[in-house]
Amino acid sequence: MRRSAQTTRSGLTARGIGLIAGAAALLGAGFRYGYPDLALLGAAAGIAVLAAVAFAFWRPRLGVTRVADPDRVSRGEPANVTLTISNTSRMRAATLVATDRCGTTSVQVPLLRLRAGHDTVETYPVPTHRRGLVPIGPLHVTRRDPLGLITLARAYGETIMVRVYPKVHPLRATPAGLTRSLDGSVDKVPHGTIAFDTLREYVPGDELRRVHWRSSAKVGELMVREQLDTAEPTIVVLLDDRATAHRDDSFEDACEAAASIVVAAVREDLPVSLHLVGGTATGPHLDVLTEAALGDGDLAATLRRLRAQKIGDTLIFLTGPGGRDDLGAVSGLRTAYPIALAAVLGDRDSSPAAATDRLLVIEAVDGAEFAAAWDGMRGW
């Protein structure tokens, strides 16, 4: 199976156009000057064109199904598409040429000997070297007449989508924040932050110190306080998707860093919130990172919103070389987020930025270097 970036166009070929022009010239000369042989040749050429049109416009009935395995994959991991083409026509569909779209390229599929009532199965790899959505399909079947006068292409089957996630680098360390549920694996607050939730009737085994005596006196039955720990930390990841903040592949590296943090937080059962500077992040985090693209954004407005909402206790800002000058503004969130970290990715030339008591800073060339620097941090 051969890949090609070319697409087949429908219509008359150069040979077909030349034959039509020759037929018109022969018919005109034959009838005008009285040469029946020329008129006969012109008529034969015209009949050939009409026959080619009838042959090319016959539409073969094909059933097309395709399955991507897997349809969600990290960058660089293998994925394949299995394409099944069934000929449901009563006669043999001869002289067919098919190409299946796979991302930005076309994959040629041999169909010259597909008999009626039979099917053919083809498998080919999906390009996963870049993050993003890879559309697969539809299948374009080209019908040509035996003389090569007319080419007619038709589309068959639906389009499926393969999601190529950013590459995930394993992170051993995860920030636990300054607070953690008493049931959790980490607790940096000696007494937690227990808050009143509701009242319920006393059952044998409840601690008497949890009895709410005032409510019990009003109801006439022992009532017990239900309490919960509201101190569960949340990791807030802010991905800088402004075009002015990145150069070369630094945005891809930032997406890899964000995906690595999200996966590590989920593994440790820590809540994580993903935000974009230039857009709204809705849906599963890895899907958002797959579809994220560079654009415009107002970093100052985003920082004001995060400061007002205070949706977590650990803020992680991921940017590129162009976002280095904005680290001072990000450090201002330290009043709302007890732990604040910034990572500048893709910058190979500038001198490293020094960490301060308000902002921890990671300098990394790519996602792998970011993961190593992350595990070496001693700020949380």
Side-chain angles (χ1 to χ4, degrees), residues 12 15 71 126 134 140 159 190 210 224 234 320 344 352:
L12 289 169
R15 183 183 301 176
D71 60 353
V126 179
V134 182
H140 286 87
T159 300
R210 293 173 55 191
V224 177
T234 297
V344 180

Side-chain angles (χ1 to χ4, degrees), residues 168-210:
V168 174
H169 302 277
L171 303 179
R172 295 191 301 271
T174 51
L178 295 182
T179 57
R180 182 61 168 153
S181 170
L182 294 180
D183 297 339
S185 59
V186 179
D187 188 359
K188 293 187 178 181
V189 177
H191 303 291
T193 53
I194 301 300
F196 170 78
D197 184 29
T198 185
L199 289 173
R200 64 170 174 80
E201 293 183 4
Y202 173 86
V203 294
D206 286 336
E207 298 179 7
L208 291 178
R209 63 185 180 89
R210 293 173 55 191

Side-chain angles (χ1 to χ4, degrees), residues 337-362:
Y337 296 84
I339 297 179
L341 179 145
V344 180
L345 294 105
D347 197 348
R348 296 169 172 81
D349 302 325
S350 300
S351 58
T356 66
D357 57 347
R358 298 179 60 87
L359 186 67
L360 304 174
V361 180
I362 289 179

Side-chain angles (χ1 to χ4, degrees), residues 33-267:
Y33 298 109
Y35 290 99
D37 293 340
L38 295 180
L40 181 62
L41 289 175
I47 293 174
V49 173
L50 294 177
V53 171
F55 186 91
F57 272 82
W58 172 75
R59 185 184 182 94
R61 291 183 296 177
L62 300 176
V64 177
T65 58
R66 57 175 57 82
V67 177
D69 183 27
D71 60 353
R72 297 169 184 265
V73 62
S74 295
R75 183 179 64 84
E77 293 182 353
N80 295 297
V81 171
T82 300
L83 178 67
T84 303
I85 307 170
S86 303
N87 183 7
T88 59
S89 303
R90 293 186 176 180
M91 61 182 66
R92 181 170 62 91
T95 320
L96 292 179
V97 177
T99 57
D100 199 29
R101 186 181 67 156
C102 182
T104 57
T105 62
S106 296
V107 179
Q108 293 189 358
V109 182
L111 288 178
L112 295 178
R113 297 177 180 266
L114 184 58
R115 295 178 296 171
H118 290 71
D119 55 30
T120 182
V121 178
E122 299 290 338
T123 301
Y124 57 87
V126 179
T128 62
H129 60 283
R130 295 291 293 180
R131 172 191 61 89
L133 300 176
V134 182
I136 311 295
L139 182 75
H140 286 87
V141 176
T142 303
R143 178 86 169 155
R144 293 191 180 96
D145 67 283
L147 297 178
L149 305 180
I150 294 178
T151 298
L152 187 63
R154 297 185 178 93
Y156 291 83
E158 298 179 350
T159 300
I160 64 174
M161 204 69 65
V162 174
R163 292 181 177 272
V164 181
Y165 291 150
K167 188 175 181 179
V168 174
H169 302 277
L171 303 179
R172 295 191 301 271
T174 51
L178 295 182
T179 57
R180 182 61 168 153
S181 170
L182 294 180
D183 297 339
S185 59
V186 179
D187 188 359
K188 293 187 178 181
V189 177
H191 303 291
T193 53
I194 301 300
F196 170 78
D197 184 29
T198 185
L199 289 173
R200 64 170 174 80
E201 293 183 4
Y202 173 86
V203 294
D206 286 336
E207 298 179 7
L208 291 178
R209 63 185 180 89
R210 293 173 55 191
V211 174
H212 195 271
W213 297 106
R214 182 176 299 179
S215 299
S216 300
K218 291 181 180 180
V219 176
E221 296 181 2
L222 289 178
M223 303 297 293
V224 177
R225 292 187 296 263
E226 282 283 2
Q227 298 170 320
L228 54 82
D229 185 3
T230 59
E232 190 174 34
T234 297
I235 301 174
V236 181
V237 179
L238 177 58
L239 176 62
D240 193 350
D241 58 347
R242 298 172 300 164
T244 56
H246 295 276
R247 64 169 182 252
D248 299 330
D249 287 333
S250 65
F251 183 61
E252 300 302 316
D253 299 325
C255 289
E256 290 185 8
S260 302
I261 297 170
V262 167
V263 171
V266 171
R267 183 193 66 221

Side-chain angles (χ1 to χ4, degrees), residues 9-26:
R9 296 182 179 180
S10 300
L12 289 169
T13 64
R15 183 183 301 176
I17 296 175
L19 186 62
I20 292 176
L26 289 173

